[in-house]
Amino acid sequence: MQGKMKAQMFYAPGDVRFEETDIPQIGDDEILVKVRAALTCGTDLKTYRRGHPTIIQHTPSTFGHEFASDVVEVGKNVTKFKVGDRVVGVNTAPCFECENCKNKQYSLCEHLQYLNGAFSQYVAVPAHILKYNFFKIPDGLPYEYAALLEPLACAVHGFDSIPAKVGDYVVVIGAGPIGLMFMDLLNLHGCRVIAADLSEHRLELSKNFGTIAQVNAGAPDYVEQVRNLTEGKGPQIVVEATGFPEAWEKAFEMARPGATVLCFGGTKKGSSL
Ligand SMILES: [Zn+2]
Ligand SMILES: [Zn+2]
């Protein structure tokens, strides 16, 4: 499709501009989608503040990575989708060939391919991502919900990596979107989930996601409160979903001996514990 579109373009940390730019052109194995709903992820905020070593590979770059869309053009070799399909994807695809991929650690792929442009009117979806990580949206699922696929997939991946058992005490530190997804998954799994956060509002919200108790992480006796809520032993599992080294440290402090601590939130480069 020829023409111009509106897009948020990333120039540098703190410098994102709403501009008119060319609609991207697709190859024979690609599709063009029109964005219908886009979300702002914590990673977008981090990228806005300090740039990103892998997501932003050149500047100016289109920006944003969580979106749901309609197919408006398909390359001549594409059979997976047709014009008019409602689609959602995740913004990366692993190479399946590097050492980490061969060990099935796909999120650590050394050649992860990225897709930006959620904050644009149109996005050209590259063949590799289209093949492995683009899906039809089920009928009846609104675009706004479908666009949550990528963060939810991250939370499910994290959940799969911890040995959570029915009845386990699990503390989730951080009740932002990712933390709430963890709480929901762990609650559905039958764990006794305790939320920890600095925000009373978020703690209140966590009650809708099945938490049995809420602890303010700013309280001086925060770790002690957690211990009291877990029969004096500390949780079997701690999920850290804030990306702050202090939260990582508290996670280890509150965990019982033999516990599993999932450090999920990415900390700032150069952080130390
Ligand atoms: Zn995201
Ligand atoms: Zn790889």
Side-chain angles (χ1 to χ4, degrees):
M1 189 187 288
Q2 299 290 334
K4 295 279 181 189
M5 67 171 185
K6 294 261 173 43
Q8 295 283 3
M9 301 296 287
F10 181 97
Y11 279 77
D15 183 5
V16 173
R17 303 177 203 171
F18 188 52
E19 292 185 335
E20 205 166 69
T21 181
D22 291 330
I23 293 175
Q25 300 303 300
I26 57 166
D28 292 343
D29 301 302
E30 300 180 332
I31 62 171
L32 185 73
V33 298
K34 184 171 175 32
V35 176
R36 298 297 303 266
L39 310 179
T40 306
C41 170
T43 302
D44 295 323
L45 181 61
K46 282 186 204 168
T47 304
Y48 175 74
R49 286 187 174 146
R50 55 190 196 228
H52 199 285
T54 48
I55 290 181
I56 302 289
Q57 288 165 345
H58 56 86
T59 53
S61 165
T62 50
F63 192 36
H65 64 275
E66 295 176 8
F67 63 99
S69 54
D70 288 333
V71 178
V72 291
E73 191 181 2
V74 295
K76 70 173 165 45
N77 298 335
V78 175
T79 53
K80 188 173 173 183
F81 299 112
K82 60 183 190 315
V83 170
D85 282 347
R86 294 171 357 111
V87 291
V88 64
V90 298
N91 62 313
T92 58
C95 72
F96 298 106
E97 280 168 12
C98 70
E99 196 182 336
N100 291 338
C101 280
K102 287 197 170 128
N103 289 330
K104 297 199 162 80
Q105 295 170 302
Y106 302 118
S107 64
L108 301 178
C109 173
E110 293 162 26
H111 315 289
L112 211 55
Q113 188 178 2
Y114 285 90
L115 175 61
N116 287 315
F119 309 148
S120 313
Q121 285 181 298
Y122 296 93
V123 180
V125 182
H128 193 64
I129 290 180
L130 185 67
K131 182 172 176 189
Y132 294 105
N133 274 336
F134 248 71
F135 311 95
K136 264 188 201 163
I137 299 172
D139 289 341
L141 188 70
Y143 293 106
E144 292 83 352
Y145 290 17
L148 282 164
L149 178 69
E150 184 264 339
L152 181 62
C154 293
V156 170
H157 175 65
F159 171 79
D160 279 345
S161 73
I162 51 178
K165 297 187 298 300
V166 173
D168 277 355
Y169 286 109
V170 183
V171 175
V172 179
I173 305 177
I178 292 285
L180 293 173
M181 287 177 186
F182 268 107
M183 291 171 201
D184 209 18
L185 290 165
L186 289 157
N187 176 49
L188 290 169
H189 190 65
C191 299
R192 289 180 277 191
V193 186
I194 298 165
D197 201 286
L198 292 169
S199 153
E200 284 298 330
H201 167 70
R202 286 184 164 194
L203 288 174
E204 191 60 33
L205 205 61
S206 79
K207 292 179 183 171
N208 299 334
F209 295 81
T211 55
I212 59 159
Q214 303 77 33
V215 181
N216 194 306
D221 62 343
Y222 161 40
V223 171
E224 203 181 310
Q225 282 188 51
V226 168
R227 209 148 279 151
N228 290 339
L229 288 163
T230 52
E231 299 166 29
K233 294 177 184 168
Q236 280 97 337
I237 292 172
V238 185
V239 175
E240 186 289 324
T242 72
F244 291 106
E246 309 81 54
W248 286 36
E249 284 168 2
K250 289 288 181 202
F252 290 107
E253 200 182 322
M254 69 176 65
R256 71 172 64 185
T260 298
V261 175
L262 174 62
C263 298
F264 192 83
T267 56
K268 201 171 172 177
K269 199 175 177 186
S271 300
S272 60
L273 296 180

